[in-house]
């Protein structure tokens, strides 16, 4: 019964775990917001983040941002694009996943140690009290009072 439960949990959650992998490379562009760019009277530094999964050579304003913005901004691309900062980022999600698993293992180990001490603690206190009581009874005949 236990093995069936473990197999169900493993195979039941493994597709959902595998479906949560993210892209390791991305193009990240930070540009002025469209409302700030179009409305010249608004003073502000509103920025908008655009993320796309494109090859490194396509990480430009033309390939990432212009297909997503309005026609009015596309017509003024020479003014809008220099204000954008596009960078290609690469990360290793395998290392991140290994570190998270190690942290979870340490937390589980500390939890097991806490449970072990919670069970062992009362037993150690009871043993210490019983030794103290035995010692008191052993010393009583030595301090016998002859006043009777």
């Amino acid at each position: 019964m236990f093995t069936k439960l473990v197999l169900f949990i493993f195979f039941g959650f493994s597709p959902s775990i595998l479906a949560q992998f993210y892209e390791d490379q991305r193009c990240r562009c930070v540009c002025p917001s469209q409302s700030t760019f179009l409305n010249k009277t608004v003073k502000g530094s509103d920025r908008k983040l655009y993320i796309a999964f494109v090859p490194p050579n396509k990480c430009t304003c033309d390939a990432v941002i212009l297909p997503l913005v309005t026609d009015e901004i596309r017509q003024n691309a020479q003014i809008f694009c220099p204000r954008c900062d596009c960078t290609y980022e690469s990360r290793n999600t395998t290392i991140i996943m290994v570190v998270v698993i190690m942290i979870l293992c340490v937390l589980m180990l500390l939890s097991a140690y806490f449970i072990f001490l919670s069970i062992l603690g009362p037993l150690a206190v009871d043993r210490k009290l019983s030794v103290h009581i035995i010692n008191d009874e052993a010393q009583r005949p030595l301090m016998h009072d002859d006043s009777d």
Side-chain angles (χ1 to χ4, degrees):
M1 177 67 183
F2 180 71
T3 57
K4 289 181 182 179
L5 180 65
V6 170
L7 289 174
F8 174 74
I9 290 173
F10 179 74
F11 289 115
F13 290 117
S14 61
S16 63
I17 291 170
L18 293 175
Q20 294 178 4
F21 283 111
Y22 300 102
E23 295 288 330
D24 287 341
Q25 295 90 15
R26 67 181 184 175
C27 179
R28 182 178 180 264
C29 294
V30 181
C31 298
S33 69
Q34 295 179 27
S35 60
T36 305
F37 180 74
L38 294 175
N39 190 358
K40 304 291 185 194
T41 60
V42 175
K43 302 274 184 185
S45 62
D46 258 355
R47 308 291 284 173
K48 184 163 174 154
L49 177 66
Y50 297 92
I51 295 176
F53 303 106
V54 295
N57 59 351
K58 300 253 186 199
C59 186
T60 61
C61 176
D62 297 329
V64 175
I65 299 162
L66 290 182
L68 302 174
V69 294
T70 61
D71 288 332
E72 191 173 349
I73 292 180
R74 274 189 222 123
Q75 292 168 355
N76 295 321
Q78 303 88 338
I79 301 169
F80 184 74
C81 283
R83 297 180 183 181
C84 295
D85 180 29
C86 292
T87 56
Y88 191 76
E89 297 177 343
S90 178
R91 61 182 176 190
N92 193 346
T93 53
T94 306
I95 291 175
I96 295 170
M97 190 169 53
V98 167
V99 169
V100 168
I101 289 172
M102 287 174 48
I103 290 171
L104 289 175
C105 288
V106 168
L107 288 175
M108 288 175 32
L109 183 67
L110 288 173
S111 299
Y113 182 64
F114 173 72
I115 292 169
F116 173 73
L117 289 180
S118 297
I119 293 171
L120 189 65
L123 295 174
V125 171
D126 290 344
R127 187 174 289 171
K128 195 183 279 187
L129 288 176
S130 64
V131 169
H132 182 66
I133 292 170
I134 292 171
N135 286 341
D136 284 347
E137 290 175 0
Q139 290 175 358
R140 278 192 192 152
L142 297 175
M143 296 190 293
H144 183 60
D145 190 17
D146 288 336
S147 61
D148 292 332

Short mmCIF file of all heavy atoms in Angstrom, two decimals, residues 13-36:
data_model
loop_
_atom_site.label_atom_id
_atom_site.label_comp_id
_atom_site.label_asym_id
_atom_site.label_seq_id
_atom_site.Cartn_x
_atom_site.Cartn_y
_atom_site.Cartn_z
N PHE A 13 3.04 13.93 -9.61
CA PHE A 13 3.57 15.28 -9.56
C PHE A 13 4.72 15.52 -10.53
O PHE A 13 5.07 16.66 -10.78
CB PHE A 13 4.04 15.61 -8.13
CG PHE A 13 2.90 15.76 -7.17
CD1 PHE A 13 2.78 14.91 -6.09
CD2 PHE A 13 1.96 16.75 -7.35
CE1 PHE A 13 1.75 15.05 -5.20
CE2 PHE A 13 0.92 16.89 -6.46
CZ PHE A 13 0.80 16.04 -5.38
N SER A 14 5.35 14.49 -11.05
CA SER A 14 6.50 14.71 -11.92
C SER A 14 6.14 15.47 -13.20
O SER A 14 6.90 16.33 -13.61
CB SER A 14 7.20 13.40 -12.23
OG SER A 14 6.33 12.51 -12.88
N PRO A 15 5.00 15.22 -13.87
CA PRO A 15 4.70 16.05 -15.05
C PRO A 15 4.48 17.51 -14.68
O PRO A 15 4.88 18.40 -15.42
CB PRO A 15 3.41 15.43 -15.62
CG PRO A 15 3.39 14.05 -15.10
CD PRO A 15 4.07 14.10 -13.76
N SER A 16 3.87 17.77 -13.54
CA SER A 16 3.66 19.17 -13.15
C SER A 16 4.97 19.84 -12.78
O SER A 16 5.15 21.03 -12.99
CB SER A 16 2.66 19.26 -12.00
OG SER A 16 3.19 18.61 -10.86
N ILE A 17 5.90 19.08 -12.22
CA ILE A 17 7.21 19.64 -11.90
C ILE A 17 7.97 19.94 -13.19
O ILE A 17 8.58 20.99 -13.33
CB ILE A 17 8.01 18.69 -10.99
CG1 ILE A 17 7.36 18.62 -9.60
CG2 ILE A 17 9.46 19.13 -10.86
CD1 ILE A 17 7.92 17.55 -8.72
N LEU A 18 7.94 19.01 -14.13
CA LEU A 18 8.65 19.23 -15.39
C LEU A 18 8.04 20.36 -16.20
O LEU A 18 8.73 21.04 -16.94
CB LEU A 18 8.67 17.94 -16.21
CG LEU A 18 9.49 16.80 -15.63
CD1 LEU A 18 9.33 15.55 -16.47
CD2 LEU A 18 10.94 17.19 -15.51
N ALA A 19 6.75 20.59 -16.05
CA ALA A 19 6.10 21.66 -16.82
C ALA A 19 6.45 23.04 -16.28
O ALA A 19 6.19 24.03 -16.93
CB ALA A 19 4.59 21.46 -16.77
N GLN A 20 7.06 23.13 -15.11
CA GLN A 20 7.37 24.42 -14.51
C GLN A 20 8.76 24.92 -14.85
O GLN A 20 9.18 25.94 -14.36
CB GLN A 20 7.23 24.33 -13.00
CG GLN A 20 5.81 24.10 -12.56
CD GLN A 20 5.70 23.97 -11.06
OE1 GLN A 20 6.67 24.11 -10.35
NE2 GLN A 20 4.51 23.70 -10.58
N PHE A 21 9.50 24.24 -15.71
CA PHE A 21 10.82 24.73 -16.09
C PHE A 21 10.66 25.98 -16.95
O PHE A 21 9.76 26.06 -17.79
CB PHE A 21 11.60 23.66 -16.86
CG PHE A 21 12.16 22.61 -15.96
CD1 PHE A 21 11.67 21.33 -16.00
CD2 PHE A 21 13.18 22.91 -15.08
CE1 PHE A 21 12.17 20.35 -15.17
CE2 PHE A 21 13.70 21.93 -14.25
CZ PHE A 21 13.19 20.66 -14.29
N TYR A 22 11.51 26.92 -16.72
CA TYR A 22 11.45 28.18 -17.43
C TYR A 22 12.62 28.28 -18.40
O TYR A 22 13.55 27.50 -18.36
CB TYR A 22 11.49 29.34 -16.44
CG TYR A 22 10.35 29.32 -15.48
CD1 TYR A 22 10.50 28.86 -14.18
CD2 TYR A 22 9.08 29.74 -15.87
CE1 TYR A 22 9.44 28.83 -13.30
CE2 TYR A 22 8.02 29.71 -15.00
CZ TYR A 22 8.20 29.26 -13.72
OH TYR A 22 7.15 29.22 -12.85
N GLU A 23 12.54 29.27 -19.25
CA GLU A 23 13.61 29.50 -20.20
C GLU A 23 14.86 29.96 -19.47
O GLU A 23 14.80 30.71 -18.51
CB GLU A 23 13.18 30.58 -21.20
CG GLU A 23 12.03 30.16 -22.08
CD GLU A 23 12.43 29.13 -23.11
OE1 GLU A 23 13.58 29.13 -23.55
OE2 GLU A 23 11.56 28.33 -23.47
N ASP A 24 16.00 29.51 -19.94
CA ASP A 24 17.27 29.89 -19.33
C ASP A 24 17.84 31.16 -19.93
O ASP A 24 18.68 31.80 -19.33
CB ASP A 24 18.28 28.76 -19.46
CG ASP A 24 17.97 27.60 -18.55
OD1 ASP A 24 17.22 27.80 -17.58
OD2 ASP A 24 18.49 26.50 -18.80
N GLN A 25 17.40 31.53 -21.12
CA GLN A 25 17.88 32.75 -21.77
C GLN A 25 16.68 33.61 -22.12
O GLN A 25 15.63 33.10 -22.50
CB GLN A 25 18.66 32.45 -23.06
CG GLN A 25 19.93 31.70 -22.84
CD GLN A 25 19.77 30.20 -22.89
OE1 GLN A 25 18.76 29.70 -23.35
NE2 GLN A 25 20.75 29.48 -22.40
N ARG A 26 16.89 34.93 -21.99
CA ARG A 26 15.81 35.84 -22.35
C ARG A 26 16.38 37.20 -22.72
O ARG A 26 17.51 37.54 -22.35
CB ARG A 26 14.82 36.00 -21.20
CG ARG A 26 15.41 36.70 -19.99
CD ARG A 26 14.42 36.81 -18.88
NE ARG A 26 14.99 37.57 -17.77
CZ ARG A 26 14.32 37.90 -16.70
NH1 ARG A 26 13.05 37.55 -16.58
NH2 ARG A 26 14.88 38.58 -15.74
N CYS A 27 15.59 37.95 -23.42
CA CYS A 27 15.94 39.32 -23.76
C CYS A 27 15.07 40.22 -22.88
O CYS A 27 13.84 40.10 -22.89
CB CYS A 27 15.67 39.59 -25.24
SG CYS A 27 16.04 41.28 -25.72
N ARG A 28 15.71 41.09 -22.15
CA ARG A 28 15.01 41.96 -21.20
C ARG A 28 15.21 43.40 -21.65
O ARG A 28 16.34 43.90 -21.66
CB ARG A 28 15.58 41.74 -19.81
CG ARG A 28 14.94 42.54 -18.73
CD ARG A 28 15.60 42.18 -17.40
NE ARG A 28 15.02 42.92 -16.32
CZ ARG A 28 15.52 44.05 -15.83
NH1 ARG A 28 16.63 44.54 -16.33
NH2 ARG A 28 14.93 44.67 -14.85
N CYS A 29 14.12 44.06 -21.99
CA CYS A 29 14.18 45.45 -22.44
C CYS A 29 13.39 46.33 -21.48
O CYS A 29 12.24 46.02 -21.15
CB CYS A 29 13.61 45.60 -23.84
SG CYS A 29 14.56 44.77 -25.10
N VAL A 30 14.00 47.42 -21.06
CA VAL A 30 13.33 48.40 -20.21
C VAL A 30 13.22 49.68 -21.01
O VAL A 30 14.22 50.26 -21.44
CB VAL A 30 14.13 48.63 -18.90
CG1 VAL A 30 13.43 49.63 -18.03
CG2 VAL A 30 14.34 47.32 -18.17
N CYS A 31 11.98 50.13 -21.21
CA CYS A 31 11.72 51.30 -22.04
C CYS A 31 10.78 52.25 -21.31
O CYS A 31 10.11 51.86 -20.35
CB CYS A 31 11.04 50.88 -23.34
SG CYS A 31 12.02 49.79 -24.35
N PRO A 32 10.70 53.49 -21.78
CA PRO A 32 9.70 54.39 -21.21
C PRO A 32 8.31 53.87 -21.51
O PRO A 32 8.09 53.23 -22.54
CB PRO A 32 9.96 55.72 -21.91
CG PRO A 32 11.12 55.54 -22.78
CD PRO A 32 11.51 54.12 -22.79
N SER A 33 7.38 54.13 -20.62
CA SER A 33 6.02 53.68 -20.87
C SER A 33 5.46 54.43 -22.07
O SER A 33 5.88 55.54 -22.38
CB SER A 33 5.14 53.87 -19.64
OG SER A 33 4.94 55.25 -19.43
N GLN A 34 4.51 53.82 -22.72
CA GLN A 34 3.94 54.42 -23.93
C GLN A 34 3.23 55.73 -23.63
O GLN A 34 3.31 56.68 -24.40
CB GLN A 34 2.99 53.43 -24.59
CG GLN A 34 3.68 52.19 -25.10
CD GLN A 34 2.70 51.21 -25.73
OE1 GLN A 34 1.67 51.60 -26.24
NE2 GLN A 34 3.05 49.94 -25.70
N SER A 35 2.55 55.78 -22.48
CA SER A 35 1.83 57.02 -22.14
C SER A 35 2.80 58.16 -21.87
O SER A 35 2.54 59.31 -22.25
CB SER A 35 0.94 56.79 -20.92
OG SER A 35 1.72 56.40 -19.81
N THR A 36 3.93 57.89 -21.25
CA THR A 36 4.93 58.92 -21.00
C THR A 36 5.55 59.39 -22.30
O THR A 36 5.79 60.58 -22.49
CB THR A 36 6.03 58.38 -20.06
OG1 THR A 36 5.43 57.88 -18.89
CG2 THR A 36 7.02 59.46 -19.69
#
